[in-house]
């Protein structure tokens, strides 16, 4: 999470504070926008795994942006064959589906960035 801290420090101190809890990191901006950074559970085996991931804090009104990527913790380049897709989301959690071309026994996890208010 060092990259997020560098971004906030470089932009100035009047733009909110990056905080965290057991579910991930969140940044509340003075204008009401909330950015959240989450890493789901890694799963080293299986096909089409569904995972429900709770946000660090709930959004009050609406989510306006979701980005999901695959995070590989020291895995080989073949983890590009694993992707995560959103199934559904609420103001408190997101459900993602793991898809892959073959049975890959690598430790990969969904990494999610959400923007809302």
């Amino acid at each position: 999470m060092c990259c997020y801290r560098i971004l906030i420090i470089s932009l100035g101190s009047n733009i909110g504070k990056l905080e965290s809890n057991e579910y991930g990191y969140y940044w509340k901006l003075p204008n009401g926008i909330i950015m959240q950074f989450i890493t789901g559970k890694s799963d080293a085996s299986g096909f089409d795994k569904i995972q429900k991931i709770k946000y660090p804090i709930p959004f009050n009104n609406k989510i306006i942006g979701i980005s999901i990527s695959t995070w590989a913790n020291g895995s080989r380049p073949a983890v590009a064959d694993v992707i995560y897709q959103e199934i559904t989301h609420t103001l408190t959690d997101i459900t993602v589906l793991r898809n892959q071309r073959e049975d890959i026994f690598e430790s990969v996890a969904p990494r999610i960035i959400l923007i809302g208010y």
Side-chain angles (χ1 to χ4, degrees):
M1 292 299 157
C2 68
C3 300
Y4 301 130
R5 288 189 182 127
I6 292 169
L7 172 68
I8 292 171
I9 291 168
S10 67
L11 292 174
S13 61
N14 63 346
I15 56 170
K17 179 180 174 188
L18 181 70
E19 299 184 48
S20 66
N21 61 27
E22 63 187 293
Y23 300 106
Y25 291 81
Y26 59 95
W27 181 16
K28 290 183 175 181
L29 300 173
N31 64 0
I33 295 292
I34 301 170
M35 297 178 70
Q36 302 204 48
F37 311 93
I38 311 161
T39 300
K41 293 183 289 186
S42 62
D43 185 358
S45 66
F47 294 97
D48 298 333
K49 298 288 186 174
I50 295 175
Q51 186 175 156
K52 189 174 190 176
I53 305 165
K54 185 174 178 178
Y55 308 147
I57 60 172
F59 289 98
N60 295 320
N61 298 301
K62 186 175 183 178
I63 295 172
I64 56 175
I66 299 173
S67 174
I68 304 172
S69 62
T70 302
W71 178 67
N73 187 11
S75 296
R76 61 186 171 87
V79 297
D81 292 336
V82 178
I83 61 167
Y84 287 90
Q85 298 172 290
E86 174 193 357
I87 296 176
T88 186
H89 70 270
T90 68
L91 295 176
T92 59
D93 57 56
I94 186 169
T95 302
V96 296
L97 171 68
R98 174 184 166 137
N99 285 306
Q100 58 196 57
R101 290 190 328 170
E102 59 184 73
D103 196 13
I104 298 172
F105 296 98
E106 298 288 341
S107 180
V108 297
R111 190 159 270 182
I112 305 164
I113 298 173
L114 301 113
I115 301 171
Y117 54 93

